[in-house]
Amino acid sequence: MKQIGLFLLLFIAFLGCKEPIVDKPEKLIDKDVMIDIYYDISILNASKATAANKLEEYNFDPEEYIFRKYNVDSAQLSQNSIYYTSNPNVQLEMFTEVEKRLQKLKDSIDSKLKKTQNIKVKKAEEKAVETPTKAPEK
């Protein structure tokens, strides 16, 4: 969450700039890869907020995961984030793409949950029909 806050803060700070004021990093991360990184960071931050105990249980370090998955280090990621943030139009495109992906994932999960709930309701109805309730004896 801190990283997204940092990205948003940097985005707002450079919003008025029309030209990048930051030099291109020596090891520039491709825009599409940065979108993937931002997406993964969003997912991992949500995981930390909702299932921190599971991450700890499996000794899973989200930052280390990002670094290994994309073969970057913290300095490279930070430099690239600042570089892309210095160009608000590109940064907005990137965050818009991340938002679209997150919405697509949410819709997919919601759809699967709804199907699962419908199956449970149908099974409960079938079970109720199979075992009718007995009237109380007098």
Side-chain angles (χ1 to χ4, degrees):
M1 192 67 178
K2 291 178 185 176
Q3 292 171 337
I4 289 183
L6 174 65
F7 296 140
L8 292 176
L9 179 63
L10 290 171
F11 174 74
I12 291 169
F14 293 110
L15 191 60
C17 304
K18 293 183 180 180
E19 295 180 21
I21 59 172
V22 176
D23 292 334
K24 189 182 209 179
E26 193 173 300
K27 295 182 180 177
L28 182 66
I29 299 172
D30 183 67
K31 177 182 163 186
D32 291 333
V33 175
M34 281 300 292
I35 290 170
D36 292 341
I37 291 172
Y38 288 148
Y39 175 79
D40 284 350
I41 288 171
S42 298
I43 297 294
L44 291 169
N45 282 335
S47 298
K48 284 196 295 191
T50 59
N53 57 342
K54 286 291 183 187
L55 296 175
E56 290 174 11
E57 180 181 330
Y58 291 104
N59 199 25
F60 181 80
D61 181 3
E63 288 181 359
E64 186 61 33
Y65 171 79
I66 294 292
F67 298 148
R68 277 187 279 150
K69 180 176 180 181
Y70 295 100
N71 196 28
V72 297
D73 59 31
S74 61
Q76 183 183 2
L77 183 57
S78 178
Q79 289 168 354
N80 276 269
S81 179
I82 291 169
Y83 172 73
Y84 282 113
T85 301
S86 71
N87 187 336
N89 294 330
V90 173
Q91 188 75 359
L92 182 59
E93 288 174 23
M94 294 167 72
F95 282 135
T96 300
E97 179 61 30
V98 170
E99 185 177 24
K100 286 178 188 176
R101 288 186 189 183
L102 291 171
Q103 186 61 49
K104 185 177 178 180
L105 177 63
K106 180 187 179 303
D107 292 346
S108 173
I109 291 170
D110 288 346
S111 174
K112 289 177 184 178
L113 285 173
K114 188 174 180 180
K115 287 178 185 178
T116 302
Q117 289 171 345
N118 288 340
I119 290 170
K120 287 180 181 179
V121 168
K122 285 181 183 180
K123 285 183 180 180
E125 289 172 351
E126 289 171 0
K127 188 174 182 179
V129 170
E130 292 172 3
T131 57
T133 57
K134 295 181 181 178
E137 295 180 18
K138 290 186 180 180

